[in-house]
Amino acid sequence: MRTQKIFTALSLIGAFGAGSMGVAAPTPAAAQDPAYMSCEALWYARNRIYARNGHCFNTDRARAVFGAGCFPPYGRLSGWEKSRVNQLQMWERRKGC
């Protein structure tokens, strides 16, 4: 029950945060099983983690979705964020994305 409340809260936060960037808000990456995500969803989930941490994107695709602005901590990730990014990248490789 508590987990559901956390995911609901993350969903609301994700919808607000992504909406302010002009991007449709999918279900939060933390609530999705990467084994069932498309390559596009895996890419978005991974880069969304970087974007909310101020990463300076270099590719046209990422800048179009997340913007060119960067801010502190400039893409530095916490422990759980690093783990999630590694998991998403593993699934991207496994699926041949």
Side-chain angles (χ1 to χ4, degrees):
M1 184 65 159
R2 182 177 176 162
T3 302
Q4 182 59 38
K5 287 181 182 179
I6 292 169
F7 287 142
T8 301
L10 286 173
S11 182
L12 294 173
I13 292 167
F16 177 75
S20 65
M21 291 189 297
V23 178
T27 305
Q32 294 182 0
D33 183 347
Y36 300 102
M37 294 168 71
S38 67
C39 285
E40 179 70 21
L42 289 164
W43 178 89
Y44 182 86
R46 177 174 49 83
N47 284 293
R48 183 173 172 200
I49 293 168
Y50 282 113
R52 73 174 170 240
N53 284 287
H55 182 73
C56 301
F57 291 103
N58 295 318
T59 66
D60 292 338
R61 179 183 180 193
R63 283 180 173 217
V65 174
F66 299 107
C70 38
F71 53 88
Y74 303 109
R76 191 175 9 211
L77 306 178
S78 67
W80 75 266
E81 289 171 320
K82 288 177 191 173
S83 295
R84 183 62 175 173
V85 164
N86 288 338
Q87 181 187 42
L88 294 166
Q89 287 175 323
M90 185 271 301
W91 278 103
E92 284 178 294
R93 285 189 302 274
R94 185 176 279 188
K95 292 181 177 209
C97 300

